[in-house]
Amino acid sequence: MISKPAHLPALAAPPPLTKADLILLPIEDRLASIDGHFFYTPDVGKAVRSMKHVLYERTTSGLHTNIVMHGPEGSGKTSLAEHFLSQNPPIPADPISRQPVLFSKFSRTASARDLAHAVLASGGWPQVRNSNSDELAWVQIKLFLEKVQARLLILNHADRLIRGDTLSEKGLDLLEDLLDIAPCPIMIIGQDGFGDVIEKCYRLAGRFPLHLPISRMPCGKDWLETCNLLNEKLPFRTTEILTGEMPERLQIAAAGGTPDLMRLTQSASRIAIFGERSLELTRRHYLEAFACRPGRGPNPFDMIPLEKLRVAKQSTTAVPSRADVLWANNRNTSS
């Protein structure tokens, strides 16, 4: 089901407007009102609660819990990190704003200098890259995190540190050095199978005690509730989102990923609002939106029988192991 804990809304969005108010907005504002919606699925709700707890324990007790978040592409890991960042914005201070949460990413080279540049740049303090010293880079990262009083550093694309079926030696050294100097907890994000990679690494397994898996949603009660919430927030008098087979067709089109559902809905809404100045969002608008995305297989909104779509979906998603796919993708990436 959609996670609805007392302290978290089921859907976090811009200031709420009634459907009647949304319909009366100017065309540009109607489309803009679709941006910013964020879904609390069960996995996401648990992850948000855990991340909040890490922030709280760091502030109150000084405990230091590092996190691994992992899940398939399109499941919402980056969207979750960006949402959490927006919920913990910088706090103005002199001479430098306090930043409780920082969100950066690993480059394709396991380099302390590149990491320092990315972390400082994410906090609005670009690094002058004129030094060949890794030691100086670590000092810069440590001092910067202390200055902004960071309580959590989130690093995306951690699976770029994988070579073959394990972490590269350079990647492993980079993570260990980062953990040694960081004054705050670290959360690393990778694709499906990345949690297994960390668990297999005896030098890191104990240093990342908290794992947060994020999954896609199958077509069921959770997905129907998501479609219902989305339908309530869209600036249309009527939609066909909940009509007949549409929920399952949407699930197949988005592969159960709520970020992809939102992107598809934004494209369909753009066709309806800008192309037709319509107050209705129909299956045909989704049909046209999906057709603009090459390489996605049969168009689920083209009234192909659902059974054929299910068979096509199973044939394209059946893989020996998601971890094997992750490792294979990285095996061909130069160090």
Side-chain angles (χ1 to χ4, degrees), residues 155-317:
L155 293 169
N156 205 3
H157 301 312
D159 41 45
R160 288 177 173 174
L161 305 179
I162 293 175
R163 296 295 179 269
D165 60 355
T166 187
L167 286 166
S168 68
E169 194 64 31
K170 286 175 63 179
L172 180 54
D173 289 342
L174 186 74
L175 278 176
E176 283 194 313
D177 289 343
L178 176 62
L179 293 171
D180 288 341
I181 64 98
C184 65
I186 304 294
M187 184 170 92
I188 53 177
I189 302 176
Q191 293 192 27
D192 218 2
F194 183 64
D196 296 334
V197 174
I198 297 297
E199 279 298 298
K200 292 198 317 180
C201 179
Y202 73 93
R203 288 163 59 183
L204 289 180
R207 303 188 72 173
F208 285 96
L210 181 55
H211 283 234
L212 301 176
I214 304 294
S215 62
R216 294 174 179 268
M217 278 195 287
C219 189
K221 184 178 179 181
D222 298 345
W223 186 259
L224 290 174
E225 181 65 15
T226 297
C227 291
N228 184 60
L229 288 168
L230 178 60
N231 180 65
E232 292 174 0
K233 296 295 181 179
L234 291 178
F236 295 96
R237 184 178 293 126
T238 61
T239 81
E240 292 184 352
I241 287 176
L242 300 175
T243 302
E245 299 173 341
M246 273 294 285
E248 185 169 359
R249 292 181 182 275
L250 285 165
Q251 193 274 341
I252 292 172
T258 52
D260 213 25
L261 173 65
M262 290 307 305
R263 286 189 286 268
L264 185 62
T265 297
Q266 288 166 342
S267 297
S269 299
R270 188 173 295 109
I271 293 169
I273 294 173
F274 282 131
E276 302 177 5
R277 297 181 183 265
S278 174
L279 292 176
E280 298 179 353
L281 182 65
T282 68
R283 177 192 60 80
R284 180 175 55 80
H285 297 131
Y286 278 100
L287 174 72
E288 293 183 31
F290 191 89
C292 296
R293 314 169 86 185
R296 295 296 184 105
N299 194 321
F301 308 104
D302 201 17
M303 299 316 293
I304 301 169
L306 271 178
E307 190 56 42
K308 288 187 177 181
L309 289 174
R310 293 174 187 141
V311 170
K313 177 183 175 184
Q314 291 170 358
S315 66
T316 57
T317 57

Side-chain angles (χ1 to χ4, degrees), residues 56-223:
Y56 177 79
E57 70 177 10
R58 179 62 183 162
T59 303
T60 57
S61 65
L63 293 178
H64 195 112
T65 304
N66 299 311
I67 309 170
V68 181
M69 180 182 289
H70 50 89
E73 183 178 357
S75 55
K77 303 181 298 298
T78 299
S79 297
L80 167 56
E82 291 173 341
H83 172 73
F84 194 74
L85 180 67
S86 71
Q87 299 301 301
N88 295 274
I91 303 167
D94 188 24
I96 181 172
S97 295
R98 287 185 284 134
Q99 300 189 55
V101 178
L102 288 166
F103 182 36
S104 188
K105 63 182 179 181
F106 288 101
S107 68
R108 295 194 178 277
T109 58
S111 160
R113 283 160 285 158
D114 286 340
L115 181 60
H117 176 75
V119 170
L120 270 65
S122 71
W125 287 72
Q127 179 195 26
V128 179
R129 292 199 283 182
N130 58 359
S131 170
N132 293 322
S133 169
D134 282 352
E135 288 77 9
L136 178 59
W138 290 125
V139 170
Q140 288 176 315
I141 293 175
K142 183 175 186 295
L143 291 179
F144 177 71
L145 294 177
E146 289 174 346
K147 273 290 187 184
V148 299
Q149 300 179 39
R151 290 153 56 197
L152 179 65
L153 172 60
I154 304 174
L155 293 169
N156 205 3
H157 301 312
D159 41 45
R160 288 177 173 174
L161 305 179
I162 293 175
R163 296 295 179 269
D165 60 355
T166 187
L167 286 166
S168 68
E169 194 64 31
K170 286 175 63 179
L172 180 54
D173 289 342
L174 186 74
L175 278 176
E176 283 194 313
D177 289 343
L178 176 62
L179 293 171
D180 288 341
I181 64 98
C184 65
I186 304 294
M187 184 170 92
I188 53 177
I189 302 176
Q191 293 192 27
D192 218 2
F194 183 64
D196 296 334
V197 174
I198 297 297
E199 279 298 298
K200 292 198 317 180
C201 179
Y202 73 93
R203 288 163 59 183
L204 289 180
R207 303 188 72 173
F208 285 96
L210 181 55
H211 283 234
L212 301 176
I214 304 294
S215 62
R216 294 174 179 268
M217 278 195 287
C219 189
K221 184 178 179 181
D222 298 345
W223 186 259

